[in-house]
């Protein structure tokens, strides 16, 4: 991607962030993060709807949050709270509304979260499928790309750089590779991903629900070590396994034993597992759902390429 296009993408993302009403963590007067002692979850200050748990309500009121101005989760709609900037109004609130709307009919917050995340991924499927297909095409072209790298190794003069660029373009054209497709996917996927996470963080009804024996607001660290519920350990293990498989199916090159990319994948998976211990169960379930969708999607694309 040339520098001009890179700058346009960066400017667009920065402009979006300027309008972002990001999740704000609730803090005490001495700047300490307020946590729910029963679940270990850090409370969000700018919640979109009102909690019903009495102890949680007390924590909010004690730390200066006016809950009277906030609608009940059962009464929340896209226009609740008025206009709050482009980001919250057009990304976060609609996603939160969909989760709560589905929850009204099925009465299961965890399932409504899963259905909403799957629905979002299905909407993005035409784009994500093309991106996955591009990864498979790059794998196919990798031997020629490796030869090209060896051919121009240690050749940094202007003429060699131009020739290498021309030959790489020819390889991309031969295998029908569009180097900009992943950028388009990231440009669309990233705001929706962040918006979804914010919607989860700002909807108390999600954290007050349960799913398959898991309390959605409880972090696995508290659920496992304080409550002795090993279901939370299984949840974190599923995060690790699905993340690892998702990363490996998305790789564009074959990895050797000492490949730095393989080590990077292992490190990132380990970091996400550690993060999963301290994230709410709702966020972990969302992460697993999106990973599973990605895995299935990439297996379908991979099989379709093998058939061709």
């Amino acid at each position: 991607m040339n520098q001009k296009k890179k700058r346009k993408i960066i400017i667009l993302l920065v402009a979006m962030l300027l309008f972002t009403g990001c999740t704000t963590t609730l803090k005490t007067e001495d700047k300490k993060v307020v946590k729910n002692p029963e679940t270990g979850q850090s409370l969000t200050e700018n919640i979109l709807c009102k909690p019903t748990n009495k102890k949680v309500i007390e924590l909010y009121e004690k730390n200066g949050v006016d809950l009277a101005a906030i609608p009940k989760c059962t009464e929340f709609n896209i226009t609740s709270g008025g206009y709050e900037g482009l980001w919250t109004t057009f990304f976060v609130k609609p996603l939160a509304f969909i989760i709560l709307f589905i929850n009204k009919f099925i009465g299961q917050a965890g399932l409504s979260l899963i259905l909403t995340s799957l629905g979002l991924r299905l909407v993005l499927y035409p784009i994500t499928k093309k991106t996955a297909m591009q990864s498979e095409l790059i794998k196919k072209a990798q031997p020629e790309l490796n030869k090209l790298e060896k051919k121009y190794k240690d050749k940094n003069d202007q003429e060699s750089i131009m020739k290498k660029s021309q030959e790489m373009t020819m390889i991309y054209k031969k295998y029908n590779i569009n180097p900009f497709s992943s950028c388009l996917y990231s440009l669309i996927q990233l705001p929706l991903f962040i918006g979804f996470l914010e919607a989860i963080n700002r909807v108390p009804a999600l954290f007050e629900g349960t799913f398959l024996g898991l309390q959605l607001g409880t972090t696995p660290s508290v659920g496992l070590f304080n409550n002795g519920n090993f279901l939370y350990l299984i949840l974190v293990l599923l995060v690790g396994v699905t993340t690892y498989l998702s990363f490996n199916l998305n790789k564009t090159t074959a990895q050797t034993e000492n490949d730095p990319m393989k080590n990077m994948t292992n490190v990132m998976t380990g970091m996400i597992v550690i993060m999963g211990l301290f994230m709410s169960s709702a966020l972990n379930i969302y992460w697993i759902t999106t990973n599973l969708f990605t895995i299935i999607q990439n297996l379908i694309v991979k099989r379709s390429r093998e058939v061709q």
Side-chain angles (χ1 to χ4, degrees), residues 14 77 142 169 271 284:
V14 170
N77 58 62
Q142 198 62 50
T169 300
M271 288 175 63
N284 279 292

Side-chain angles (χ1 to χ4, degrees), residues 19-237:
F19 291 103
T20 298
C22 294
T23 298
T24 305
T25 303
L26 183 64
K27 295 182 179 180
T28 61
E29 290 183 355
D30 53 354
K31 305 301 180 183
K32 290 183 179 180
V33 174
V34 179
K35 291 188 176 184
N36 183 335
E38 294 181 355
T39 66
Q41 178 197 0
S42 299
L43 297 181
T44 300
E45 182 177 358
N46 55 341
I47 48 177
L48 294 173
C49 57
K50 192 180 300 183
T52 59
N53 183 283
K54 290 183 179 179
K55 290 183 178 180
V56 174
I57 291 173
E58 287 176 5
L59 284 172
Y60 274 107
E61 291 177 341
K62 181 181 177 181
N63 290 281
V65 177
D66 182 15
L67 294 178
I70 301 173
K72 295 179 181 179
C73 288
T74 53
E75 298 171 355
F76 176 80
N77 58 62
I78 296 175
T79 59
S80 295
Y83 180 75
E84 297 181 37
L86 291 175
W87 177 257
T88 298
T89 303
F90 294 105
F91 282 87
V92 180
K93 283 186 176 180
L95 288 170
F97 173 75
I98 293 170
I99 294 171
L100 291 169
F101 182 78
I102 294 174
N103 190 39
K104 282 183 182 179
F105 288 94
I106 63 177
Q108 174 49 256
L111 188 56
S112 67
L113 171 61
I114 291 171
L115 291 174
T116 305
S117 59
L118 287 175
L120 179 62
R121 293 306 301 263
L122 285 170
V123 170
L124 292 173
Y125 181 72
I127 298 170
T128 57
K129 181 184 177 183
K130 287 180 180 179
T131 304
M133 186 68 76
Q134 288 293 305
S135 295
E136 291 300 314
L137 292 172
I138 290 174
K139 287 179 188 177
K140 193 173 180 180
Q142 198 62 50
E144 292 186 37
L145 292 171
N146 290 340
K147 286 181 182 179
L148 185 65
E149 288 295 329
K150 289 179 181 179
K151 179 179 177 181
Y152 288 98
K153 186 180 180 181
D154 301 324
K155 294 181 180 180
N156 298 318
D157 58 283
Q158 192 65 33
E159 185 179 354
S160 296
I161 292 172
M162 288 182 64
K163 285 183 178 180
K164 179 183 177 181
S165 178
Q166 290 170 354
E167 291 181 39
M168 185 177 289
T169 300
M170 292 302 293
I171 294 172
Y172 282 166
K173 187 175 181 181
K174 176 181 176 181
Y175 290 96
N176 198 27
I177 296 171
N178 181 359
F180 305 123
S181 62
S182 59
C183 297
L184 175 63
Y185 168 66
S186 298
L187 193 62
I188 296 174
Q189 171 76 347
L190 185 59
L192 288 174
F193 175 74
I194 296 173
F196 205 103
L197 293 183
E198 283 205 28
I200 293 173
N201 276 324
R202 296 173 66 179
V203 176
L206 275 175
F207 301 120
E208 294 173 340
T210 59
F211 182 69
L212 299 178
L214 300 168
Q215 206 284 323
L216 294 176
T218 298
T219 61
S221 60
V222 170
L224 178 61
F225 300 117
N226 292 14
N227 304 333
N229 189 340
F230 284 90
L231 287 175
Y232 292 96
L233 176 60
I234 295 172
L235 183 70
V236 175
L237 290 175

